[in-house]
Amino acid sequence: MAAVSDLSGEGCRRLDDGDPAGAIGPLEQAVAREPHSASLREALARACFATSRIRRARREFERALALDPSNAYAHYGLG
């Protein structure tokens, strides 16, 4: 079983490399293991938004803000 840091690293690398669809799986696994991580939820929301999963992106941005109200990117994503 991969460590959360490996999953989040893989997901973020894929997102940064322009593969948001490929980022979703590792990020979902990371969030499942660390559901209270605002940064993981933000990354998952960005991947969902980039793949036109707008409702899911909104939910994840909202959850990220509930966990960390100062998360600027999550505010931006909801805008």
Side-chain angles (χ1 to χ4, degrees):
M1 185 179 294
V4 171
S5 60
D6 293 336
L7 292 167
S8 65
E10 176 69 17
C12 289
R13 272 190 299 282
R14 287 178 181 230
L15 192 56
D16 291 343
D17 289 345
D19 181 17
I24 290 176
L27 290 170
E28 283 179 331
Q29 290 177 51
V31 166
R33 293 190 197 165
E34 287 190 19
H36 301 295
S37 172
S39 62
L40 289 176
R41 289 196 177 271
E42 178 211 304
L44 178 56
R46 289 187 299 134
C48 289
F49 186 83
T51 56
S52 299
R53 298 171 189 177
I54 305 304
R55 288 186 185 132
R56 174 80 188 275
R58 180 183 176 139
R59 283 193 311 267
E60 293 302 335
F61 279 133
E62 288 172 345
R63 289 173 181 157
L65 284 175
L67 295 166
D68 178 11
S70 67
N71 185 317
Y73 199 96
H75 282 284
Y76 174 77
L78 284 175

